[in-house]
Amino acid sequence: MKKIQLCLALLALCLGLHAQQTIDVARYGIRPNTGKDMTPRIQKMLKKIAPLSGQEGGIILRFAPGRYDFHPDKAPERTYYISNHDQDNPKRVAFPLEGLRDVTLDGGGAEFVFHGRMLPISLLDSRNCTLKNFSIDFDNPHIAQVRIVRSDKTNGTVFRPEPWVKWRIAPDSVFEAYGEGWTVRHGWGVVFEADNKHLVFNTGDRGCPTKGARLTADGDIHAPHWKDEVLKPGMRFIMRSGGRPTPGIFLYKDTDTRLENIRIHYAEGMGVLGQVCENITLDRLSVCLKGEDDPRCFTTQADATHFSGCKGLISSCNGLYEGMMDDAINIHGTYLKVVRRVDDHTLVGRYMHGQSWGFHWGDPGDSVQFIRSNTMEIVGHTNLITAIRPHDQETEEGAHEFLITFRDALDAEISEAGAYGVENLTWTPEVRFAGNTIRNNRARGALFSTPRRTVVEDNFFDHTSGTAILLCGDCNGWYETGACRDVLIRRNRFVNALTSLYQFTNAVISIYPEIPELDKQQQYFHGGHGKGIVIEDNEFDTFDAPLLYAKSVDGLWFRRNIVRRNTDYPPYHFNRDRFRLERVTNAHIEE
């Protein structure tokens, strides 16, 4: 009997060695509702738990519910090149989570509140890590929300900043917002209705010049040169600068990452930015207001979520995306422009956009293809990288150019004499975007540019301002890849998209690759290989005509969709066709 008990005890001990370990962060002095800066204590904790990362069973860092404050002064500095953001370095990071394995950060309902200008959370070079159960916000957002008191074309605009906005009129008579280590002068923005969170119909982006500003007798601000007949008393104007220093959460070179039950209420860039990652799961991640009574109308300065050069599966389910100043989700790769043909197997490729450079692009063994930029056609055949290294500097972090050698000889026409892009096909993801609500945002609902299977189902697109779903591809401006080969859009509901005009807003669903010389194109950009784009079993509630716009597609199905016309707004769109197709073949449209 004693031998059996001893064996059981040894077994329990062995099992315990492999059990998940939970660490209460309070042991490091990280406690809520103190008003103290938790940033130094986070750094101390991360150093202590680093040796535990990767242990059998993993570890959980558990926070108690409540508010935790973070300031930039004592935050560590990092040099990060973040896709589709301003490449200004270094950046101050509150939670630099780097090189972790099997670690879960469980906020337990915590409210993480940041000050100044900083990157809340970075997760780099990690494997099998989870972030969950917390919110991200800034105590003093860099966007300024103001109420319109009165406005006319003769006297200009009188406005009143919302109570939380920290502002002043500078000596040169310009209205500016300021905070801990930052000052912003806003040049433009968007306007929301006085009594709801909808953007004002047919307004788009609007200037807000405040030169010559002065205080009125009532303590409001009079901007005599801000003359906009759209503005009415009570409307809420969101003043923006357009800067994108950092996202709320930055993911880079991670594998098998989960973000669960996270609410991002504000970030100066995007909500979540993932680049060069494999398998990302967003489960109930929201970029949202703090509820129906939140006086703010805005969340992020740009996209709610954005993924660049990833592979595996990107799954985004059951989220709420509202008030952001761009798309709910944008998934793409990055074309390198061919700037030099070294020999028949080697070329130099360059990042072209000012906000997308400096990060990892490819590896030996990756599959690539070449694109003729003017017609967006494939040139030659698929090839493999045998060697790649930075060309304009020693390290890839911060590089603009790469010297790339390929297994097979390059097609004779590919050189710097023309306009050609290189696309990495290995780093392209499958996508599932399901059960989400996207509402009351600027620009567009969702943007997908990947050749792998993409499923968009059971979502609610409510007043997305511009196009609800965009399939794009551009090797001329943003240099964002690529062609969509296999897309299923089903069981979604679209309510009053296209209330303002932005880029690519040709219809509720817009398939709009940038093709400068469409008349010279011989191939088709989207679809092909017997597949294509299927739009079925959706509901469209719309006040205007255009439902579907498609350009350069081989394989398009629109079937079993319900269309309801309403009178919520007056029809105004330049496109009066329900279906407008340009250079589309194998189309099957059921009215």
Side-chain angles (χ1 to χ4, degrees):
M1 186 66 180
K2 288 184 178 180
K3 288 184 178 180
I4 295 175
Q5 289 176 336
L6 179 61
C7 290
L8 289 174
L10 290 173
L11 178 61
L13 178 62
C14 292
L15 291 174
L17 291 175
H18 300 297
Q20 195 170 48
Q21 180 180 354
T22 298
I23 298 174
D24 184 349
V25 301
R27 74 167 69 170
Y28 298 100
I30 303 170
R31 296 183 175 88
N33 307 318
T34 67
K36 296 180 180 179
D37 182 10
M38 292 292 115
T39 310
R41 302 180 189 190
I42 291 291
Q43 313 318 310
K44 179 181 178 182
M45 177 190 69
L46 292 178
K47 289 180 180 178
K48 293 288 186 180
I49 66 101
L52 303 177
S53 172
Q55 73 174 18
E56 197 76 26
I59 62 174
I60 299 175
L61 304 176
R62 180 156 292 158
F63 291 71
R67 171 171 168 151
Y68 299 78
D69 287 88
F70 303 90
H71 294 261
D73 294 350
K74 297 178 182 178
E77 291 186 342
R78 293 291 190 273
T79 296
Y80 293 152
Y81 293 91
I82 304 176
S83 181
N84 294 80
H85 279 74
D86 302 332
Q87 305 295 25
D88 49 356
N89 278 300
K91 305 178 191 297
R92 298 277 186 169
V93 188
F95 287 81
L97 308 175
E98 299 166 339
L100 300 180
R101 300 291 183 270
D102 304 307
V103 174
T104 296
L105 190 158
D106 186 349
E111 301 170 18
F112 296 150
V113 179
F114 301 87
H115 299 256
R117 178 167 279 154
M118 60 193 309
L119 170 53
I121 299 175
S122 64
L123 181 66
L124 277 72
D125 299 301
S126 75
R127 182 177 295 275
N128 195 31
C129 288
T130 298
L131 309 176
K132 66 180 184 178
N133 301 330
F134 60 83
S135 66
I136 289 175
D137 198 5
F138 276 72
D139 185 68
N140 182 17
H142 313 84
I143 289 174
Q145 181 173 311
V146 304
R147 286 272 186 174
I148 303 302
V149 177
R150 59 182 178 272
S151 182
D152 61 63
K153 292 194 294 184
T154 302
N155 299 308
T157 298
V158 176
F159 63 93
R160 180 182 304 133
E162 298 283 17
W164 66 81
V165 177
K166 195 172 182 179
W167 62 274
R168 63 194 171 205
I169 297 177
D172 59 350
S173 73
V174 175
F175 171 83
E176 61 185 22
Y178 67 97
E180 191 174 325
W182 62 270
T183 300
V184 172
R185 294 187 173 193
H186 310 87
W188 58 291
V190 295
V191 57
F192 285 79
E193 296 283 3
D195 56 355
N196 60 46
K197 297 297 174 68
H198 297 331
L199 276 76
V200 176
F201 171 72
N202 195 16
T203 53
D205 295 332
R206 314 197 73 78
C208 53
T210 63
K211 178 68 175 176
R214 63 175 180 82
L215 286 176
T216 69
D218 296 328
D220 299 324
I221 301 164
H222 178 212
H225 302 296
W226 186 4
K227 299 177 180 180
D228 190 339
E229 59 187 5
V230 163
L231 303 180
K232 300 293 185 290
M235 287 181 174
R236 292 166 287 192
F237 196 95
I238 308 305
M239 291 182 165
R240 305 178 60 205
S241 67
R244 301 178 180 182
T246 63
I249 299 175
F250 174 46
L251 310 175
Y252 185 34
K253 294 185 178 179
D254 301 321
T255 302
D256 299 330
T257 304
R258 294 186 62 85
L259 307 183
E260 300 178 7
N261 191 31
I262 296 172
R263 299 178 314 284
I264 300 174
H265 300 308
Y266 175 74
E268 196 175 4
M270 299 176 182
V272 175
L273 190 289
Q275 68 186 25
V276 197
C277 294
E278 182 175 1
N279 298 329
I280 299 174
T281 299
L282 309 183
D283 178 11
R284 292 163 293 135
L285 179 134
S286 295
V287 174
C288 61
L289 305 175
K290 298 178 184 178
E292 295 298 327
D293 296 328
D294 190 344
R296 290 188 200 168
C297 293
F298 64 89
T299 52
T300 55
Q301 181 77 272
D303 298 346
T305 66
H306 194 114
F307 303 94
S308 173
C310 295
K311 67 179 180 179
L313 173 66
I314 294 176
S315 175
S316 172
C317 298
N318 305 314
L320 169 60
Y321 302 106
E322 62 181 346
M324 58 279 182
M325 297 295 108
D326 260 310
D327 319 322
I329 188 169
N330 185 347
I331 298 176
H332 65 85
T334 304
Y335 290 111
L336 297 181
K337 183 177 181 179
V338 176
V339 295
R340 182 184 168 199
R341 182 180 178 124
V342 178
D343 56 43
D344 287 348
H345 288 265
T346 309
L347 56 76
V348 176
R350 176 187 295 163
Y351 281 121
M352 294 302 296
H353 195 274
Q355 290 182 324
S356 294
W357 55 274
F359 48 89
H360 186 77
W361 187 84
D363 300 289
D366 286 354
S367 176
V368 301
Q369 67 182 10
F370 303 90
I371 297 289
R372 186 181 299 114
S373 299
N374 290 342
T375 59
M376 296 299 287
E377 294 174 291
I378 297 172
V379 179
H381 60 275
T382 301
N383 211 328
L384 292 179
I385 297 174
T386 58
I388 180 171
R389 63 175 177 81
H391 182 252
D392 58 331
Q393 63 172 44
E394 291 298 319
T395 62
E396 70 173 9
E397 298 302 312
H400 285 81
E401 297 180 353
F402 294 92
L403 182 70
I404 311 173
T405 302
F406 302 94
R407 181 191 65 186
D408 303 328
L410 300 168
D411 192 276
E413 75 169 275
I414 298 173
S415 75
E416 65 273 22
Y420 300 92
V422 190
E423 177 179 3
N424 191 321
L425 295 174
T426 296
W427 288 90
T428 53
E430 294 184 38
V431 178
R432 183 165 186 253
F433 187 71
N436 301 292
T437 295
I438 305 94
R439 67 187 184 192
N440 302 330
N441 64 293
R442 174 190 170 276
R444 290 161 296 273
L447 197 166
F448 304 101
S449 301
T450 176
R452 299 186 190 273
R453 176 73 165 168
T454 299
V455 177
V456 185
E457 61 186 3
D458 302 313
N459 301 290
F460 182 25
F461 294 87
D462 180 15
H463 289 78
T464 53
S465 187
T467 288
I469 296 177
L470 171 64
L471 308 181
C472 197
D474 171 20
C475 195
N476 298 278
W478 280 96
Y479 285 81
E480 293 181 358
T481 65
C484 295
R485 302 296 182 198
D486 185 6
V487 179
L488 176 60
I489 300 171
R490 67 181 175 189
R491 299 193 306 268
N492 302 284
R493 186 182 178 200
F494 304 94
V495 174
N496 288 342
L498 304 176
T499 56
S500 286
L501 296 181
Y502 298 94
Q503 189 180 21
F504 310 115
T505 52
N506 288 45
V508 176
I509 297 176
S510 188
I511 305 168
Y512 196 145
E514 289 276 29
I515 306 173
E517 297 180 356
L518 183 63
D519 58 328
K520 297 181 181 179
Q521 190 186 65
Q522 300 298 311
Q523 305 170 18
Y524 294 90
F525 185 70
H526 289 299
H529 307 292
K531 297 183 179 179
I533 300 159
V534 177
I535 304 166
E536 64 184 17
D537 301 319
N538 302 283
E539 297 181 29
F540 294 83
D541 293 275
T542 179
F543 63 93
D544 217 328
L547 297 178
L548 173 63
Y549 171 80
K551 179 197 297 184
S552 188
V553 180
D554 179 3
L556 177 63
W557 289 262
F558 187 96
R559 61 197 181 198
R560 302 193 306 273
N561 297 290
I562 297 172
V563 181
R564 289 183 288 263
R565 189 74 176 266
N566 64 50
T567 57
D568 293 348
Y569 304 99
Y572 79 108
H573 202 282
F574 64 86
N575 179 7
R576 305 311 307 158
D577 298 326
R578 179 160 286 187
F579 306 99
R580 179 173 292 187
L581 312 181
E582 294 186 59
R583 202 162 190 284
V584 174
T585 189
N586 294 321
H588 312 272
I589 307 295
E590 298 177 9
E591 293 256 5

